[in-house]
Amino acid sequence: MRSNYHQYSSMRVRFAPSPTGALHIGGARTALFNWLLARGQGGEMVLRIEDTDRERSTDANIAQILDALEWLGIDWDEGPLMQTSNEDRHRAVLAELEESGRAYRSHATGDDVRVWKDIHGADRGYRGEAEPDGALRLRVPDEGETVVADAVRGETVFAHKHLDDPVIARADGTPLYNLAVAVDDLDAEITHVVRGEDHLSNTPKQVLVLEALGAPLPIYAHLPLLHGPDGKKLSKRHGAASVQELRDSGYLAEAVVNYMALLGAGYDSEQEIFPVAELQQRFSLSRVSKSPAVFDEKKLRHINGLYLRELDEADLTSRLERFTGRTDLGPAVSISREKIQTLNDFEPLCGFIYDGVTEDPKAFSKVFGKAEAPAALKRAREVLAAVDDSFTEQLIETSLEPLPAEFDVGAGRIFQPIRVALSGTTISPGIFETLALLGKDESLLRIDRMLERLAAEPDGPSA
RNA sequence: GCCGCUAUCGUCUAGGGGACUAGGACGCCGCCCUCUCACGGCGGAAACCGGGGUUCGAAUCCCCGUAGCGGUACCA
C-alpha cells in the first residue's frame, strides 16, 4: 500500500483556497503552515485558486485572499493558478477513466444512494450500474481498503465496503472537486498536501482517482481545525474571524503570524515568541497537534502587545499614522507605546490630544467629587503658569511635585483632576508627559475651561 | 444513522513507559511598582475524560465506553 509514493526530489506544497469569501483565520493558518514547511525545507509553494464553484467564486474574493496573504508576508513560487483553467485536462482524465472502465455514467441521485444504503446496510457502499449518460462515478473496488498516509495522524484506513462510488463529474461533463484536486496536485507535482482536517474524509476518493490513473501519491497532512471560544467551528459570530478583520482591529501581521503558528502546533516547552525565520526553521509536521484548537483573541492581544513594544519608534509611528489616518503623531507615540496592545488602542488613549477633551461624566463626577479637587486644580494651574516657557517634562514634574504634601493628600488626588481637565477621562498617558506634549498654552487653556465649568457648578458635579 | 478523526489546567501547549510532587504561556486572583491605564516583577488557584488491560512501572502503549468535531452533495 505504500509502494507508490512520489519520487520527486524536492518538496512542493500548495495552498488551495476556494474564493467563496474572505480568507478566514483557519485558511490563513493552513497557508502559513504550508509556507513555513516549504520555506523551512527549501521547498516550493504553489498557490491555486479552487474556483470551480462559479456561483460563489468572485474576483473580489480572490483579490481579498491575495491581499491577506501579502499582508501576512506569505508568498508563493507559482500561481495563482485558476482551477477552472485546467478544465480541458480534467475532462481528458474523465474521458480516460470512463474509457478504461474505472468510472461509469449514472443517473443515481443522493436519494438513490440513501435507498441503497437502507437496503444493503452500512457495510456495502453504493455501487451503480453503468448507464449511457448521466453523472460520472468512480468505481470503488468492493474488496480491500485505501490507506491515507498522513504525516500528522499516521495511517488512516478506509475500507472500500464503506465507500460509495463518488461522483467525479456532473452530467454536463464538468469536473467535480475530488477529481480536480487530485489531478491538479498530480500535475503540479505536489509532494505534501497540507490542508484542514475537514478534508480527511474526502482523501480516499482522491487517492482512488490517483490510483486509477496509476499516479504517485502525495504525503498528506491534515491539520486540526480551528474553533471559536464556544468550541464550535470558527465563524463570523466569534468576532474578528478574517485576516482583514484582524488587520482592521489593529493587530500587527508579525504578531498574527506568530500567534497562528502556535495554534495547533508546539515548538518549545518554554518559549512561544518566535520571529518568522525561526518559525520556518522549527516548523515540522511532526510538531503539529492532532486535536482542534480554539482561537483566543486575548492571547493574540498579548502577543501583539509584545511585538508592538519591540517596534522601533519610527516604525510604530508610521504604522499608527497609516492605521489612524492622522499625521504628525510624533511624541504621542513614545508616551503611549507602553500602554497599548494594538494599533486600535491608540485612539481612545490619545485622541484627546488632537480632538480636544472627551466628555466623560463619570470621570468628571468621580474626580471632582473630591472636596479638594477644584482647589487642587486651581493651585496646579498657578504652579504650571509659573513654569518656564520651555515647559519640559522635567520642569513640570518639579513644579507639581510639592502639591500632594501641600494639600496633604495622595498624589492621585492632585494628578487626576489635572488629567480630567486635560483629557476629560481618568485614563491617559503619564500626566507630566501629557502636559509637556500639549504645551503650556494648551494645557493652561484646558485647565481654565475646567475651572470655569467648576465655578458654574459651585455645589460640585451634578452628573 | 453510517464512516473517520480527536481527547493534559478555562484556553494554546510541553510530555512520545521511570527525569511528573505533570512544565511554560494567555486569562484569572493576590502582592509589589505607581499620577490613571498599562508595562514589569513576585506569588497563587487551575489539567492527565471514564473504565479495563499490557508492564516491575502509564499522562505516555492496547481495548471498550463517553464526549466533541469532521465527512457523508451532480459544493469546495
Side-chain angles (χ1 to χ4, degrees):
Chain A
M1 264 334 214
R2 314 201 53 160
S3 57
N4 55 344
Y5 285 133
H6 67 88
Q7 295 297 316
Y8 310 121
S9 53
S10 70
M11 168 182 286
R12 279 172 64 86
V13 302
R14 43 58 144 203
F15 175 55
S18 57
T20 53
L23 183 62
H24 266 239
I25 297 162
R29 193 207 41 173
T30 300
L32 176 65
F33 279 27
N34 271 287
W35 184 75
L36 290 176
L37 181 64
R39 293 294 172 259
Q41 307 296 310
E44 294 172 327
M45 173 150 136
V46 177
L47 177 64
R48 182 174 72 229
I49 304 294
E50 313 236 300
D51 57 344
T52 50
D53 184 342
R54 285 157 189 161
E55 298 287 299
R56 298 187 295 165
S57 301
T58 67
D59 288 345
N61 286 337
I62 293 173
Q64 210 175 166
I65 288 170
L66 264 30
D67 176 55
L69 291 174
E70 184 188 357
W71 182 70
L72 289 168
I74 295 173
D75 59 359
W76 51 90
D77 305 292
E78 284 175 35
L81 275 34
M82 296 296 146
Q83 188 157 57
T84 47
S85 67
N86 207 21
E87 192 172 330
D88 288 348
R89 162 104 243 252
H90 297 153
R91 284 178 182 269
V93 169
L94 254 8
E96 180 187 333
L97 255 18
E98 186 177 1
E99 276 163 33
S100 68
R102 302 304 301 260
Y104 61 93
R105 297 277 192 160
S106 167
H107 283 104
T109 63
D111 285 343
D112 294 332
V113 172
R114 185 163 287 281
V115 168
W116 167 283
K117 308 275 271 193
D118 286 344
I119 295 171
H120 296 275
D123 282 348
R124 188 118 185 259
Y126 178 75
R127 302 287 180 268
E129 296 291 326
E131 298 176 52
D133 53 13
L136 196 67
R137 281 184 189 268
L138 184 71
R139 241 181 241 295
V140 176
D142 283 325
E143 304 297 318
E145 57 196 26
T146 288
V147 177
V148 175
D150 191 298
V152 346
R153 282 155 218 285
E155 297 189 339
T156 301
V157 179
F158 295 86
H160 290 160
K161 64 181 180 182
H162 292 316
L163 265 28
D164 299 326
D165 287 350
V167 177
I168 54 178
R170 298 183 180 92
D172 66 5
T174 53
L176 251 22
Y177 175 73
N178 286 122
L179 180 285
V181 171
V183 172
D184 290 347
D185 287 341
L186 171 65
D187 290 356
E189 301 191 347
I190 299 303
T191 59
H192 297 251
V193 173
V194 180
R195 69 218 318 189
E197 198 205 315
D198 49 341
H199 289 283
L200 182 56
S201 296
N202 283 321
T203 306
K205 300 174 190 171
Q206 294 159 30
V207 169
L208 253 7
V209 166
L210 257 12
E211 286 179 338
L213 259 22
L217 303 177
I219 289 172
Y220 293 93
H222 289 94
L223 309 176
L225 262 20
L226 256 32
H227 291 172
D230 56 1
K232 297 277 169 53
K233 194 172 177 176
L234 206 57
S235 69
K236 300 276 186 210
R237 59 189 311 279
H238 293 116
S242 72
V243 174
Q244 271 81 9
E245 286 170 317
L246 251 21
R247 173 169 57 188
D248 293 344
S249 298
Y251 293 107
L252 268 25
E254 47 271 67
V256 172
V257 163
N258 194 144
Y259 177 65
M260 288 197 306
L262 259 25
L263 282 181
Y267 299 82
D268 187 277
S269 61
E270 305 288 300
Q271 184 189 346
E272 54 185 21
I273 301 301
F274 302 102
V276 68
E278 197 171 345
L279 245 16
Q280 292 172 357
Q281 277 174 26
R282 293 191 182 228
F283 183 82
S284 158
L285 290 175
S286 65
R287 300 294 306 180
V288 175
S289 74
K290 302 193 240 298
S291 49
V294 174
F295 175 78
D296 179 12
E297 195 171 342
K298 291 243 185 67
K299 185 146 185 176
L300 205 211
R301 275 188 71 83
H302 174 259
I303 290 175
N304 202 73
L306 258 25
Y307 273 88
L308 198 59
R309 271 171 255 122
E310 282 301 310
L311 258 26
D312 67 59
E313 195 151 322
D315 191 2
L316 178 56
T317 301
S318 76
R319 293 197 203 210
L320 278 171
E321 290 179 345
R322 224 175 310 143
F323 187 81
T324 61
R326 295 182 188 277
T327 52
D328 300 322
L329 253 28
V333 174
S334 69
I335 69 172
S336 62
R337 63 181 305 161
E338 292 299 320
K339 299 173 182 297
I340 61 176
Q341 280 185 304
T342 70
L343 262 20
N344 201 30
D345 291 346
F346 178 80
E347 200 69 30
L349 184 71
C350 293
F352 75 92
I353 294 169
Y354 312 97
D355 303 336
V357 178
T358 306
E359 186 53 39
D360 182 347
K362 276 184 70 180
F364 178 76
S365 60
K366 182 183 175 193
V367 171
F368 288 105
K370 301 280 192 290
E372 80 289 346
L377 184 60
K378 201 173 176 198
R379 178 75 179 115
R381 202 264 181 222
E382 287 172 21
V383 166
L384 287 169
V387 172
D388 180 273
D389 280 351
S390 67
F391 214 59
T392 66
E393 194 183 315
Q394 187 56 54
L395 290 174
I396 292 166
E397 181 167 1
T398 307
S399 70
L400 253 19
E401 231 170 13
L403 297 202
E406 193 177 318
F407 281 80
D408 193 26
V409 296
R413 301 281 280 262
I414 301 298
F415 298 132
Q416 284 301 75
I418 301 174
R419 191 184 312 280
V420 173
L422 297 181
S423 73
T425 71
T426 53
I427 300 173
S428 84
I431 200 67
F432 309 127
E433 298 97 303
T434 302
L435 282 160
L437 193 157
L438 246 21
K440 187 170 179 178
D441 293 346
E442 180 66 18
S443 294
L444 293 181
L445 182 63
R446 291 190 185 192
I447 291 173
D448 284 340
R449 283 200 195 120
M450 181 56 79
L451 255 13
E452 283 165 26
R453 179 173 170 184
L454 290 167
E457 297 178 57
D459 298 329
S462 51

